[in-house]
Structure formats: C-alpha cells, structure tokens
Amino acid sequence: TILVLDFGSQYTHLITRRLRELSIYSEMLPCTQRLSELGWKPKGVILSGGPYSVYAEDAPHVDPEVFNLDVPILGICYGLQELAWNHGKNVLAGDKREYGHSGLKIQRHSGKQAHVDRLFEGLHDDMEVWMSHGDKLSHMPDGFLTVATTPNSPYAGIAHEEKEYYGIQFHPEVTHTPQGKEVIENFAVKICKAKQDWTMEAFVDKEIARIRKLVGEEGQVLGAVSGGVDSTVAAKLMHEAIGDRFHAVMVDNGVMRQDEAKQVKETLTKGLGVNLTVVDASERFLGLLKGVSDPEKKRKIIGNTFIEIFEEEAKKIAKEAENSPRAGPINFFLQGTLYPDVIESISFKGPSQTIKTHHNVGGLPEKMNLKLIEPLRELFKDEVRAMGTNLGIPSDLVWRHPFPGPGIAIRIIGEVTPDKVRIVQEADKIFIEEIRNAGLYRDISQAFAALMDGKSVGVVGDQRLHGHIIALRAVVTTDFMTANYYRFDYDFMDKVINRIGNEVHGVARVLYEMTSKPPSTIEFE
Ligand code: XMP
C-alpha cells in the first residue's frame, strides 16, 4: 500500500486513481495524520500538492515521523516544498505563480549518483508537464540533487543523494502531463516495489469492512435512491455491508420515465435485496406543478417537495428504527457522491480539519442530526460502473444514461400536465428501445424525448390533427460540459419517427434536435 497524504490539492484523488490504474492499493489520509496511529507500514509515501505556502503560519505540515519510516517519499508540488522545508530552511521563493504547460528537461547523472535518476527511468529527456503552483525552490535543500529543470524552475525535480526521497514541482497525476503515469509507476513500482494486486473485488470487500466498522454493530443508515447508477451502487454496497439496517427511500415525483418507480423497486428489492420504500407522491408533485411554466420555479418546486417528502418518510423510518429489537437508532445518511461531484466543494481548513463536502439533500443530514457516509467519494464514474458490475447490478442499469432530478419536468417546455408527461414518457420509451435494439445505447451519452411548447397541425387518416410536437435529443460527450448531437442514419430515424407517430396518441410532429452544447444545453430547460 502506498500512503497518500493529502495537503488539499484538487488533484490529490487523481494520484490514488492513477495508482488504482496500476493495480496498486493506496490509502489517502489527511496530511496531518499521526503516523504512530496508522497501524500499518506503507511501502512508500506521496505528499500531495496543496494551496498553501509552507512558510504560512497556518500551513499544514507532515508528521516528522515520516522521515523515520525508512520508505521512499515522493513530494508533488506543495509536497516537494514540504520535503525541501524539512531539509533546510529558506529554500523557497514565492515570487511567481506558474500555471499551465511547461517543458521539463531531465538531468541524468552517472557513476555513484546514477540512482537518483530512477524516477525518470525509461522516459525521454524532454517531457511536457503541467504546473500549478505559487512557491518554488530557490535553493537546493541539504543532501539533494537536481534531476529535472524547466525554463522557470531550476529545481523542478530533485532527488536525495542517499535516501529515496524525490520531489517534483509539476503534477504527474493529471492527464496534461502525458508521461505522468510513468513517473508515478516508476515511483510506486520500481522504487517502492509496491505490489500490483489491487482488484475491484478486494476493494469492495475493504469498503464493506470499512462501512461496518464506521456504522457499528447496531447503527442504521438512511439513503435516497433515484434509479441511477451511483445511488444504486451505493445502496447495494450498504446492503452488502449492513443488510436491512440500511433503509433506502425513493420518491416517485410523477415526472420520471415510464414505469420507472416500479422497475427500480423490482430491481432493488427483488434483484438486489435492498430494503427500499417507494413513496408515490406523483399526484402531489403534479398538483404543485400545475400552471407553472418557469423552469427555475419547476426545479425549485420539485427540489423542495422532494426534501419535504423525504423528511416525512425519514421520520417514520427513524421511529420504527427506534423500536426495532436488534438495531440502534439511525445515525448515518448515505450519499452516492462521486469524486467529480466532490471536487468543487472541497475546502481545506488547516491542520485540525480535513476535507469537507457540502453536498447534501437540502441540509437534511444536519436537520436530522445524521452523519454523512459517502462510500463512492474517491471513485470516478467508470470505477463506479466497474464496482456495480462486481456487485451484480444488471448491466442495463450500470450503463444507464444520466437522468436529471427534475426529470421530465425540464423536458416539457412550459406547463407540465399529466397528458404531456404521458406523451413524453411514451415517446421516450420508443426512442430508447430503438436505440438499444440498434446497439447504439453505449455510443450515446444521453438520449431522450422532450416536448415543445404549443401545438402544430398534422394529419391522421383523413383527419387534421392539432397535436403536440416531440423533439428527440441524443448527445455524445465525456464531461457533459460540451456535447455534440449523435448522427443517426435516416433509416433509424424513419423507424423511430414512424413508431412515435403510430403509437403515441396526440403527436403531430417529431423533430430531431441537432444543436451542439454550446450554444444549446443538453436538457431543454
Ligand atoms: P445541461 O442541460 O445543463 O445538462 O446541458 C448537463 C447534464 O446535467 C443534467 N441536468 C440536471 N441534473 N438536475 C439534475 O439532477 C437538474 O436540474 C439538471 N439540469 C441538467 C443533464 O441531464 C445533463 O446530464
């Protein structure tokens, strides 16, 4: 296991991700971790980047015991400065911020010093790297040699003459440093000799053990599920860990896909064994949405009502939990937050406090005095999918396209009515069915049907029809920040449009939306 000590950089999780890609176990802990409390010995230690200057009064510092562990250490960015600061004072200059690409030149050594080059073994002498730092080294710390430079930093890479300590100013963990993974591999595999035996299976077991320890023998956990990948994987993991002491709640808001509540119930309870309560509140939601056409108002109504209903249900479950003979009170709230969700809400508040997240269901955990449990918070989407597969979740669900919380309500331009919801649900079902039949589902990132505002004239049989206008949307994207429309062939389009015309009552026209994001968004509202 490699120990990653986190100094608060937004890239720290990428270090653990790269290590997992190399099949290496790593444990990420706050930089202030007392090493005597660790209980195990790492094969090597990585000190991450961070937003501080090591000279700042409240700057976090590593437990000096790290230098008595007798294991290799790699300092990245702030980690390099921390390493240097511990090997001679006044080694830093905080003059210029550097952010962006830079060219790294590797300096090779010979004879007795050749071992200091091991971090860059097998790599080209010139490599592109990503910089993001304030302070940089101005003098060489005691006992170190230069192993790499950039035009701006004469000490962009340093290595200790005797000990296996390495420091680099650039970030090897980001993809903007194309050979960064090799640098991490050289450190972890060649220098630390870490075993490459990480598997998703073993990771799941470890997570389950961790959840059990955290929740205790009697503790109970509450969580919301939506039918999406993340909440399903998180729920299944909780179920594996603590069985029925995990209580999942799904609120049917009436603007989900056709039969979705029924299907989620079926999959989660019968298929996966999760203890799930489905609250059918569709009438309440649709009632509140009546006459509302402003998209932000729709979102607010759905969000607030969700919290109200969830809270009502949570109270009921908590009361029942109090009376259950073999279990204690509910003390945790599950959240299926992934690392990309966490990334922007991280705050680092000095040595005594580690990382905090602010994501939660409308402050519900605080209101109910529940602690958060986030078993997926270190993972990326593709890793969550791999975990889902490992946990036996059906592949249809594991690969499901994302679906927004406000659901179909933001796919109906203008007022939401039960009839419009029905039309969108039926058209959507046909569109997705045909996409699946054509084997295109995984090539597309998100696809759905939406409804335009107003009506249009069509003809059915001999009759003129004043009917609704469906718009189909299918996009390809990696990050959902930008997206392109998917290029279906005309035969496929014919089939879908014919089916919608024939099978969905009240539709006069079907359009295919071909605007990219930007300028358009993926959803219609
Ligand atoms: P846009 O429409 O902003 O969508 O291009 C980008 C991604 O975000 C999803 N989305 C939402 N998800 N609540 C959600 O839970 C929302 O209000 C919401 N709006 C958009 C959208 O489905 C797409 O994946």
Side-chain angles (χ1 to χ4, degrees):
T1 307
I2 300 287
L3 173 63
V4 178
L5 292 174
D6 178 28
F7 287 88
S9 155
Q10 55 165 345
Y11 300 137
T12 310
H13 280 78
L14 284 172
I15 303 173
T16 61
R17 155 105 205 193
R18 298 288 166 255
L19 290 166
R20 287 197 292 276
E21 285 171 359
L22 293 162
S23 303
I24 294 171
Y25 272 97
S26 66
E27 188 94 36
M28 192 186 95
L29 292 168
C31 55
T32 46
Q33 171 70 37
R34 294 289 120 217
L35 295 174
S36 56
E37 290 162 12
L38 206 54
W40 51 278
K41 186 174 171 176
K43 284 275 204 184
V45 179
I46 296 179
L47 311 176
S48 85
Y52 279 73
S53 161
V54 287
Y55 289 131
E57 216 170 284
D58 55 353
H61 292 293
V62 68
D63 180 352
E65 274 306 302
V66 76
F67 301 107
N68 296 329
L69 281 179
D70 196 23
V71 297
I73 300 174
L74 172 64
I76 297 173
C77 198
Y78 183 90
L80 157 90
Q81 284 138 32
E82 179 68 3
L83 202 58
W85 187 78
N86 276 281
H87 288 83
K89 306 294 163 185
N90 300 320
V91 289
L92 298 182
D95 56 352
K96 245 199 306 204
R97 268 195 68 82
E98 200 181 356
Y99 185 82
H101 289 284
S102 188
L104 188 80
K105 199 155 195 65
I106 293 163
Q107 260 181 35
R108 311 277 177 189
H109 300 72
S110 57
K112 271 210 298 211
Q113 290 178 338
H115 65 277
V116 300
D117 299 334
R118 289 167 72 203
L119 196 61
F120 298 113
E121 210 174 285
L123 302 180
H124 291 297
D125 285 350
D126 291 288
M127 62 190 257
E128 199 183 318
V129 296
W130 182 258
M131 294 286 201
S132 170
H133 63 93
D135 286 350
K136 67 175 183 185
L137 291 197
S138 56
H139 296 89
M140 187 58 91
D142 303 337
F144 281 81
L145 294 170
T146 299
V147 292
T149 59
T150 66
N152 201 6
S153 301
Y155 312 110
I158 59 169
H160 198 277
E161 281 181 277
E162 284 150 29
K163 295 171 186 162
E164 294 178 295
Y165 296 166
Y166 302 84
I168 46 183
Q169 187 65 76
F170 62 93
H171 287 274
E173 67 275 31
V174 303
T175 49
H176 300 309
T177 300
Q179 294 194 74
K181 198 169 161 186
E182 279 89 338
V183 174
I184 293 175
E185 184 172 5
N186 278 347
F187 177 72
V189 179
K190 293 202 180 124
I191 297 169
C192 300
K193 305 201 168 54
K195 278 201 208 113
Q196 289 179 281
D197 59 356
W198 184 95
T199 60
M200 183 50 85
E201 209 163 30
F203 183 70
V204 165
D205 289 345
K206 240 174 133 172
E207 269 312 302
I208 287 174
R210 199 206 298 261
I211 292 166
R212 283 186 183 144
K213 200 168 154 212
L214 192 66
V215 176
E217 302 253 310
E218 296 192 333
Q220 303 207 57
V221 179
L222 186 71
V225 292
S226 66
V229 191
D230 307 343
S231 64
T232 307
V233 171
K236 176 64 178 164
L237 192 64
M238 289 309 294
H239 175 75
E240 293 290 307
I242 59 168
D244 283 351
R245 285 187 286 130
F246 170 62
H247 305 262
V249 175
M250 183 171 97
V251 177
D252 181 355
N253 58 15
V255 282
M256 294 164 73
R257 286 163 288 198
Q258 196 178 55
D259 292 330
E260 186 157 25
K262 221 162 77 190
Q263 279 163 14
V264 173
K265 172 121 189 143
E266 185 90 11
T267 314
L268 261 80
T269 52
K270 286 211 190 110
L272 303 173
V274 173
N275 176 10
L276 168 72
T277 310
V278 177
V279 187
D280 180 2
S282 36
E283 279 183 25
R284 184 155 152 192
F285 279 90
L286 290 173
L288 289 164
L289 286 169
K290 204 170 166 199
V292 181
S293 50
D294 177 70
E296 285 317 302
K297 271 199 193 128
K298 288 192 218 171
R299 278 194 169 83
K300 214 166 246 161
I301 289 171
I302 293 172
N304 292 344
T305 312
F306 175 88
I307 291 162
E308 273 169 40
I309 292 172
F310 191 90
E311 201 177 354
E312 287 163 21
E313 197 56 37
K315 276 187 190 141
K316 278 188 220 160
I317 293 173
K319 200 158 232 149
E320 277 165 31
E322 267 170 35
N323 300 327
S324 60
R326 277 178 299 123
I330 292 181
N331 43 13
F332 281 95
F333 184 85
L334 170 73
Q335 232 162 247
T337 328
L338 307 195
Y339 176 57
D341 305 333
V342 176
I343 205 164
E344 278 169 12
S345 57
I346 283 175
S347 74
F348 183 84
K349 299 205 180 147
S352 64
Q353 210 169 345
T354 57
I355 283 168
K356 272 203 154 175
T357 69
H358 306 287
H359 282 267
N360 54 48
V361 183
L364 199 80
E366 288 89 351
K367 255 201 231 164
M368 297 188 65
N369 207 11
L370 300 178
K371 284 172 274 182
L372 276 186
I373 184 165
E374 296 177 293
L376 310 181
R377 72 189 299 286
E378 283 185 32
L379 303 181
F380 292 76
K381 193 81 175 188
D382 57 324
E383 295 180 303
V384 171
R385 291 199 160 118
M387 184 184 263
T389 305
N390 188 274
L391 287 166
I393 295 170
S395 69
D396 273 7
L397 211 163
V398 162
W399 289 95
R400 202 156 194 203
H401 293 169
F403 185 70
I408 285 173
I410 56 168
R411 295 176 177 176
I412 293 173
I413 299 183
E415 188 189 356
V416 177
T417 66
D419 194 47
K420 288 184 187 170
V421 172
R422 174 202 52 92
I423 290 176
V424 175
Q425 283 178 336
E426 290 178 5
D428 190 80
K429 184 164 178 244
I430 292 169
F431 187 34
I432 299 299
E433 222 168 72
E434 290 301 334
I435 287 175
R436 282 194 194 279
N437 289 343
L440 302 174
Y441 191 79
R442 283 202 207 173
D443 297 341
I444 295 169
S445 313
Q446 200 170 6
F448 57 88
L451 200 74
M452 302 290 93
D453 201 13
K455 287 191 170 180
S456 174
V457 173
V459 42
V460 179
D462 296 329
Q463 302 237 310
R464 278 166 75 87
L465 163 81
H466 200 214
H468 289 282
I469 310 160
I470 285 281
L472 303 176
R473 181 113 166 106
V475 296
V476 178
T477 169
T478 45
D479 56 8
F480 293 88
M481 304 296 285
T482 61
N484 290 316
Y485 73 90
Y486 187 79
R487 290 167 189 251
F488 292 110
D489 66 44
Y490 289 142
D491 291 340
F492 175 88
M493 278 321 222
D494 283 349
K495 200 190 232 169
V496 174
I497 292 170
N498 277 333
R499 275 197 65 192
I500 292 175
N502 287 331
E503 296 172 37
V504 186
H505 185 70
V507 175
R509 219 166 270 269
V510 182
L511 318 175
Y512 184 52
E513 224 289 82
M514 293 166 76
T515 323
S516 295
K517 173 180 180 175
S520 222
T521 54
I522 295 172
E523 301 293 346
F524 279 64
E525 285 197 328

